[in-house]
Amino acid sequence: MMVAGAENAGGDADLPPPSPTIPSNLKPELLAPPKYSIMTRPCRTGTTGRRITLLANHFKVSVNNPDAVFYQYSVHMTYEDNTPVLPGMGIGRKLMDRLYHTYSMEFDGKKFAYDGEKSLYTFGPLPLHKLNYTVVLEESVSRPHETGSSSVTEKRMKRSIQSKTFNVEISYAAKIPLMPIALALKGADADDVQDALRVLDIVLRQQAANRGCLLVRQSFFHDDSRCITDVRGTGLSTVRGFHSSFRPTQGGLTLNMDVSTTLILKPGPVIDFLKDNFLKDNQQGVQNPLNIDWERAKRMLKNMRIKTRHRNMEFKITGLSQKSCREQYFPMKLKSGDGTSEEQTVDITVYEYFTKHRGIKLTYSANLPCLDVGKPKRPNYVPLELCSLVSLQRYRKALSSKQRASIVGSSRQRPQERINSVTSAVRNYGYNDDPVLAACGISIEKQLTQIEGRVLEAPKLKVGNSSDCMPSDGRWNFNGKTFLNPKHIDKWIVVNFSLENCDTSRISGQLYDLGRKKGIRIERPITLIEEQPQLKTQSPIERVKKMFEQIKVKHPKEPPNFILCVLPERKTSDIYGPWKKECLVDYGIVTQCISPPMKKNTRERELSEQYLTNVLLKINSKLGGINSLLATEHSGVVSLIKDTPTMILGMDVSHGPPGRSDIPSVAAVVGSLQWPLISQYRAAVRTQKARKEMIDSLYKPLESGEDDGIMRELLKDFYETSKCKPTQIIIFRDGVSESQFNQVLNEELDQIMKAYKHHEKVDELPKFTVIVAQKNHNTKLFQAGSPQYNVPPGTVVDTNIVHPRNYDFYMCAHKGSIGTSRPAHYHVLLDEIGFSANELQNLIHSLSYVYQRSTTAVSIAQVMQFMKFEDLSETSSSGRDSVTTSESIPVPELPRLHEKVRGSMFFC
């Protein structure tokens, strides 16, 4: 029986609770206002480029009742003994659903939106400020049929009802009006607009939850086999779903709907997942469970959800048994055989319990550990073969390169296919029938928004012999051309860690021949060194050390100037990090790693001219050469930069795997050199507290009065290569969300200003322009007339779907060959330099064409693209010292690069 009680908190339900009393002797602390605020959009938008009609995956939203008010209520759940129900237990939505169906009359017919944790929202107030309910959740489970015998068979199982009682308290918290949305759409600076948008997003999330979807932030995923793709040999699957969020735009409120993909555990027997991931010594394909690395498996299995075959119930894994199923004892209570009600406790093995007392035949798990699904002081052991992973269980561990590639591959859709997916989703989900949205007059159109864009003309490039090179469709090549400023490559060697079908003599010969054609004065390598076969089984660090011992034997007096390193695998080689660290930190030697792909249906390495040209582009850049420049850059006429010393910065922070607080984050900043060029950069990197996004080492004053921050290094090199100090600084910041924009302006920019004053010994500051570049967003653009094709390179949109107040625009500089192109989303936070919209958009577009290692326009300004490469952080694997944060958590300090390569484009 379920009983409800209601408690009146007093007063009108439309009024919030009284404010707390402030003691008379307490003086409020006044916070200093922020120095900078985000700039508003200038009156004039861009005009250059040819016009193009586009579609965006934004669906127009009508708000017919802008005066509507949502009421927020706090939800507090406890068990019958008043123990709190912790977030993430997975029962919050079940409880609230049961509560509503039981007590709907007390809600005056109002539907509510529940966020799954501690808040619910209603359109209009509930009758009382505070409501208390008792809710009983019931579930059917399988139990052995009691016959008086201690041995039963599975056929004699019967269904029984297990119930738990909960207390739910709902109390008034706040009013959230929709009016700030209407004000924001008119360009007002409405502080509460995010609160109102969050409520609308919660309504969409609740609808997805009611359909049984997996919720991941603003994305949802169905348990539909048509949307799930197995990642072979990993025990994982990718699942395709949708992202949905309300966005205020110049054209009005819109629903941004996009296809989304995440990685889940492949539902099925737990033992299959273990054999796919934890066989010792990489014994892939060896299906003997005894080879499983149980220590690693224990860490991975914790908190995974399983369903047991013998009881048909779900549990969360808390650990593994210390002994095998056959040897693991636990105390079991048995009824006395004399017919009395007395019980006796006996120790019994898990194996004996399930085979004798439950009548379950175990075929392979007798000698394997059991899964523990109990509590620390009350374990509950289940044999492995009775356990299966439940569906739609998100994989939360660090992703390997293979897993990331699988997600990218599964999420790819051609433009027309993506259009069909999102429009079908909006039609099928019936958002306009949702009672909460309907109550406040919200309706959503069912077709994509049509907008106007422009296609900017590709910039002309200069290559060797001052020849012109005109990109076409976002691409160009060096066929019949030479590099603009080729370097001399002498005293270089080749080392080979790849022992399989790799002829280093042929590789070096082809590189020599092609280098000469591209204008590089390359000599023959002075040494070819092969790794000794017996070293292949040693650790990567040891293999690298042994290779350098061979190099020292061959060149005892002076190390080579450049090393070409052949690795056994592309991207995933565990030698890469130790090798880069040894070269860049310990010896100061420029190096280029390659791993030529195998030819199809052969055992030979493929060395195409395009592959070797790309290798030479990287080598020439690392050695200080220039492959190509913008024609305007070559002649020194880049708008607003040619007459004023200008420095360009790119900043980003990369983080360790989720949940790994022991792995520090790495802040990387690149700064331009040799003004008026905008193609040459150097990098500086520092570690900082794990998961910390704001860079804290741009300015780092020491007790001696010196500055040991990142900006000191970059300003020093700018001055040395440009012979002047910068009077303009353009900052590109990657990886921050809209909620962090003010921190970029008032924390990171403040550090840069302090570093500039310290270095230049002046009070006058340069002019700053601060731009945030985002790629992790969900807006897609399509050609209205040819939706089967991606938008052309150079497409820019600065109207309609952009922010109604702030200065932002979308740009797709690159050619999308696979899937649907994702435009870069640029937010201009500050512009003291005073770029016009045309000048700024053309500058950013041009920066996509000066990425020295590429012959295609890149998707984001090249100063941000530099942040994406492992060279900036791989050297962190062997820190020499540690620094300590204010929380006394040691953060390993990155080893400083050798002075010989510190100013080079080693990251290219």
Side-chain angles (χ1 to χ4, degrees):
M1 182 177 178
M2 304 175 194
V3 182
E7 179 182 342
N8 191 340
D12 192 325
D14 286 335
L15 297 176
S19 302
T21 304
I22 300 176
S24 57
N25 61 344
L26 183 65
K27 294 183 179 180
E29 182 180 352
L30 298 178
L31 298 177
K35 185 176 181 180
Y36 289 102
S37 57
I38 300 170
M39 70 175 294
T40 56
R41 183 181 302 279
C43 296
R44 300 189 63 179
T45 58
T47 57
T48 58
R50 65 178 175 88
R51 301 277 173 181
I52 184 173
T53 302
L54 303 169
L55 298 172
N57 59 337
H58 287 236
F59 298 82
K60 291 184 178 179
V61 177
S62 299
V63 184
N64 298 321
N65 185 7
D67 295 322
V69 176
F70 279 101
Y71 282 69
Q72 178 182 352
Y73 292 85
S74 297
V75 179
H76 181 61
M77 301 177 180
T78 61
Y79 293 97
E80 197 172 15
D81 62 357
N82 289 326
T83 304
V85 176
L86 299 177
M89 295 293 290
I91 59 175
R93 291 190 185 276
K94 293 179 183 178
L95 265 176
M96 296 307 296
D97 186 57
R98 184 67 174 166
L99 183 150
Y100 185 81
H101 282 89
T102 307
Y103 305 111
S104 57
M105 296 295 293
E106 298 190 20
F107 285 83
D108 284 348
K110 288 185 174 65
K111 294 283 187 177
F112 60 72
Y114 174 55
D115 70 352
E117 294 186 358
K118 295 184 177 181
S119 297
L120 68 80
Y121 303 86
T122 62
F123 177 66
L126 295 176
L128 299 171
H129 272 327
K130 197 170 186 179
L131 299 160
N132 289 316
Y133 298 98
T134 299
V135 181
V136 176
L137 281 185
E138 299 174 340
E139 59 181 327
S140 175
V141 299
S142 298
R143 292 191 182 279
H145 185 66
E146 298 295 340
T147 64
S149 170
S150 61
S151 178
V152 298
T153 64
E154 286 187 277
K155 292 182 179 179
R156 301 177 68 182
M157 304 289 280
K158 70 174 185 178
R159 311 299 296 178
S160 63
I161 302 299
Q162 185 178 80
S163 62
K164 286 187 178 181
T165 302
F166 298 86
N167 301 314
V168 181
E169 179 184 280
I170 299 174
S171 55
Y172 172 82
K175 288 182 182 180
I176 301 180
L178 290 187
M179 182 55 69
I181 294 179
L183 296 175
L185 294 176
K186 295 177 181 178
D189 187 11
D191 292 334
D192 300 330
V193 66
Q194 291 303 323
D195 292 336
L197 292 173
R198 186 173 64 253
V199 175
L200 298 183
D201 286 337
I202 288 171
V203 175
L204 299 189
R205 283 175 57 84
Q206 175 167 280
Q207 191 184 113
N210 292 340
R211 293 193 296 269
C213 294
L214 166 67
L215 304 180
V216 182
R217 292 183 290 275
Q218 291 174 304
S219 295
F220 55 92
F221 304 90
H222 292 274
D223 190 6
D224 186 341
S225 59
R226 295 171 297 177
C227 304
I228 298 175
T229 305
D230 289 346
V231 183
R232 184 178 297 179
T234 64
L236 305 173
S237 301
T238 58
V239 57
R240 183 179 290 177
F242 295 96
H243 163 94
S244 63
S245 62
F246 288 96
R247 305 282 300 178
T249 70
Q250 270 190 354
L253 186 65
T254 67
L255 174 66
N256 179 205
M257 196 84 171
D258 193 22
V259 175
S260 181
T261 305
T262 193
L263 204 59
I264 61 172
L265 299 172
K266 182 180 176 180
V270 174
I271 192 66
D272 290 348
F273 175 78
L274 295 174
K275 287 191 289 189
D276 278 335
N277 288 276
F278 301 108
L279 290 174
K280 292 180 180 178
D281 301 323
N282 296 317
Q283 299 178 54
Q284 301 301 323
V286 180
Q287 298 301 306
N288 185 352
L290 295 177
N291 287 330
I292 290 172
D293 185 339
W294 292 106
E295 280 302 316
R296 288 178 53 227
K298 181 179 179 180
R299 293 193 296 269
M300 181 67 77
L301 288 172
K302 189 172 184 180
N303 293 325
M304 289 184 182
R305 299 195 321 276
I306 59 164
K307 178 173 280 190
T308 56
R309 174 159 54 90
H310 64 296
R311 295 186 65 186
N312 195 32
M313 287 183 64
E314 283 192 19
F315 296 94
K316 183 177 287 187
I317 300 173
T318 56
L320 293 175
S321 62
Q322 294 181 349
K323 298 179 180 179
S324 70
C325 180
R326 195 187 296 276
E327 299 172 329
Q328 182 66 55
Y329 283 87
F330 73 96
M332 184 179 74
K333 292 182 179 179
L334 290 177
K335 289 184 178 180
S336 177
D338 56 9
T340 64
S341 60
E342 294 183 2
E343 292 182 340
Q344 59 180 343
T345 300
V346 298
D347 285 338
I348 187 172
T349 66
V350 178
Y351 181 82
E352 183 181 358
Y353 170 76
F354 279 92
T355 55
K356 293 185 178 181
H357 293 266
R358 300 299 298 267
I360 299 173
K361 184 179 180 180
L362 299 179
T363 58
Y364 63 80
S365 53
N367 297 314
L368 303 178
C370 302
L371 296 183
D372 183 1
V373 295
K375 298 179 179 180
K377 295 183 178 179
R378 196 176 175 186
N380 183 5
Y381 300 121
V382 185
L384 266 172
E385 62 188 274
L386 302 183
C387 303
S388 293
L389 293 167
V390 301
S391 60
L392 283 188
Q393 193 168 175
R394 189 180 174 207
Y395 181 73
R396 298 174 179 272
K397 309 297 182 181
L399 300 181
S400 67
S401 298
K402 181 179 179 180
Q403 291 164 345
R404 283 193 293 267
S406 296
I407 291 182
V408 172
S410 297
S411 63
R412 285 181 182 139
Q413 285 183 303
R414 294 300 300 169
Q416 185 66 68
E417 185 183 359
R418 189 173 290 259
I419 290 174
N420 295 341
S421 294
V422 297
T423 52
S424 296
V426 173
R427 291 192 187 103
N428 295 336
Y429 291 150
Y431 291 136
N432 291 340
D433 298 327
D434 185 279
V436 180
L437 295 180
C440 53
I442 288 180
S443 60
I444 302 169
E445 294 187 5
K446 295 180 175 62
Q447 63 272 355
L448 301 179
T449 299
Q450 182 170 305
I451 58 176
E452 293 297 316
R454 293 173 288 113
V455 181
L456 304 181
E457 183 179 355
K460 184 190 296 183
L461 304 177
K462 283 288 185 181
V463 293
N465 300 319
S466 295
S467 300
D468 291 336
C469 179
M470 196 65 210
S472 174
D473 206 20
R475 300 174 181 273
W476 65 100
N477 60 61
F478 279 92
N479 295 341
K481 303 180 183 70
T482 60
F483 297 160
L484 181 65
N485 177 20
K487 301 302 289 185
H488 182 202
I489 305 177
D490 63 345
K491 290 187 60 181
W492 67 289
I493 67 172
V494 182
V495 300
N496 182 19
F497 286 97
S498 178
L499 305 177
E500 189 173 314
N501 301 314
C502 190
D503 186 347
T504 54
S505 178
R506 183 168 68 95
I507 292 175
S508 61
Q510 289 181 276
L511 202 65
Y512 170 86
D513 293 338
L514 189 61
R516 292 274 173 164
K517 290 180 182 178
K518 303 305 175 190
I520 295 178
R521 292 183 296 129
I522 183 172
E523 310 297 338
R524 299 283 184 183
I526 54 178
T527 309
L528 304 177
I529 303 178
E530 303 284 336
E531 184 184 37
Q532 299 169 7
Q534 65 270 23
L535 297 177
K536 188 176 181 180
T537 58
Q538 297 193 15
S539 70
I541 293 176
E542 192 62 29
R543 292 172 69 183
V544 168
K545 286 183 178 179
K546 294 292 185 182
M547 182 63 77
F548 265 94
E549 288 175 6
Q550 291 188 66
I551 294 173
K552 290 177 183 178
V553 171
K554 298 278 188 179
H555 306 281
K557 292 185 178 180
E558 192 175 3
N561 296 329
F562 169 72
I563 303 178
L564 182 70
C565 176
V566 184
L567 295 176
E569 302 98 16
R570 300 179 65 191
K571 298 182 180 179
T572 59
S573 176
D574 51 8
I575 297 172
Y576 181 86
W579 175 259
K580 287 285 185 177
K581 189 262 179 185
E582 200 80 8
C583 289
L584 299 176
V585 174
D586 296 338
Y587 290 93
I589 301 174
V590 174
T591 182
Q592 176 62 47
C593 295
I594 65 170
S595 181
M598 290 286 190
K599 287 184 180 179
K600 289 184 179 179
N601 303 319
T602 71
R603 301 293 293 171
E604 296 181 5
R605 299 281 182 175
E606 187 173 16
L607 291 166
S608 66
E609 183 170 327
Q610 183 61 54
Y611 179 88
L612 291 174
T613 298
N614 290 340
V615 171
L616 287 168
L617 287 170
K618 299 175 186 179
I619 294 172
N620 193 51
S621 298
K622 291 179 178 182
L623 293 173
I626 299 175
N627 302 324
S628 62
L629 290 177
L630 300 170
T632 53
E633 183 184 12
H634 185 255
S635 56
V637 292
V638 178
S639 179
L640 285 187
I641 290 178
K642 60 184 177 68
D643 297 324
T644 308
T646 303
M647 184 181 194
I648 300 177
L649 299 176
M651 309 195 306
D652 192 18
V653 177
S654 59
H655 304 290
R660 290 294 304 275
S661 59
D662 58 318
I663 298 180
S665 296
V666 177
V669 185
V670 297
S672 61
L673 307 171
Q674 303 176 40
W675 173 81
L677 299 185
I678 58 174
S679 302
Q680 300 297 294
Y681 294 83
R682 69 145 295 181
V685 290
R686 297 286 194 280
T687 50
Q688 57 188 42
K689 183 183 176 183
R691 318 307 299 177
K692 180 179 175 63
E693 182 57 49
M694 292 298 113
I695 302 176
D696 58 13
S697 53
L698 294 165
Y699 175 62
K700 193 175 180 181
L702 303 176
E703 292 182 0
S704 63
E706 296 297 316
D707 173 22
D708 190 38
I710 288 174
M711 283 306 301
R712 178 193 63 82
E713 295 181 31
L714 302 181
L715 287 167
K716 180 174 176 289
D717 277 16
F718 180 90
Y719 185 84
E720 290 176 355
T721 60
S722 306
K723 308 306 178 188
C724 59
K725 62 184 180 182
T727 56
Q728 296 181 158
I729 297 180
I730 304 171
I731 301 170
F732 287 90
R733 182 62 160 95
D734 193 11
V736 293
S737 63
E738 293 178 32
S739 62
Q740 297 169 314
F741 286 177
N742 278 309
Q743 288 177 276
V744 172
L745 283 180
N746 292 289
E747 293 180 22
E748 293 182 338
L749 181 57
D750 183 63
Q751 289 184 69
I752 293 172
M753 291 176 172
K754 289 177 179 177
Y756 183 90
K757 287 182 178 180
H758 188 281
H759 185 267
E760 303 298 342
K761 309 300 182 185
V762 294
D763 292 328
E764 185 179 354
L765 289 168
K767 294 180 179 179
F768 290 95
T769 291
V770 181
I771 303 165
V772 169
Q774 292 179 332
K775 285 288 287 181
N776 189 24
H777 62 84
N778 294 92
T779 293
K780 300 293 191 301
L781 304 174
F782 310 93
Q783 294 193 59
S786 305
Q788 69 272 29
Y789 301 113
N790 274 311
V791 296
T795 297
V796 62
V797 173
D798 59 358
T799 60
N800 199 292
I801 60 169
V802 295
H803 197 277
R805 172 184 171 86
N806 299 340
Y807 186 7
D808 67 325
F809 57 90
Y810 295 90
M811 181 180 290
C812 192
H814 67 296
K815 176 181 175 61
S817 302
I818 305 174
T820 304
S821 299
R822 186 200 300 266
H825 192 186
Y826 293 98
H827 303 259
V828 186
L829 308 187
L830 177 70
D831 184 25
E832 294 177 338
I833 296 175
F835 288 101
S836 68
N838 284 334
E839 288 170 334
L840 187 59
Q841 290 169 11
N842 279 292
L843 172 63
I844 292 175
H845 184 229
S846 296
L847 285 172
S848 298
Y849 282 80
V850 294
Y851 187 40
Q852 291 296 302
R853 61 180 281 171
S854 178
T855 55
T856 62
V858 291
S859 60
I860 200 165
Q862 114 284 16
V863 68
M864 304 311 308
Q865 197 75 18
F866 287 141
M867 303 289 94
K868 307 303 177 190
F869 294 96
E870 299 90 342
D871 303 53
L872 293 173
S873 57
E874 283 288 355
T875 57
S876 66
S877 59
S878 178
R880 295 170 299 182
D881 303 301
S882 292
V883 294
T884 303
T885 67
S886 58
E887 290 83 1
S888 299
I889 301 173
V891 177
E893 187 174 299
L894 280 173
R896 299 297 172 91
L897 297 176
H898 196 284
E899 61 182 1
K900 289 183 180 179
V901 297
R902 196 172 296 159
S904 72
M905 292 177 64
F906 67 89
F907 44 84
C908 203

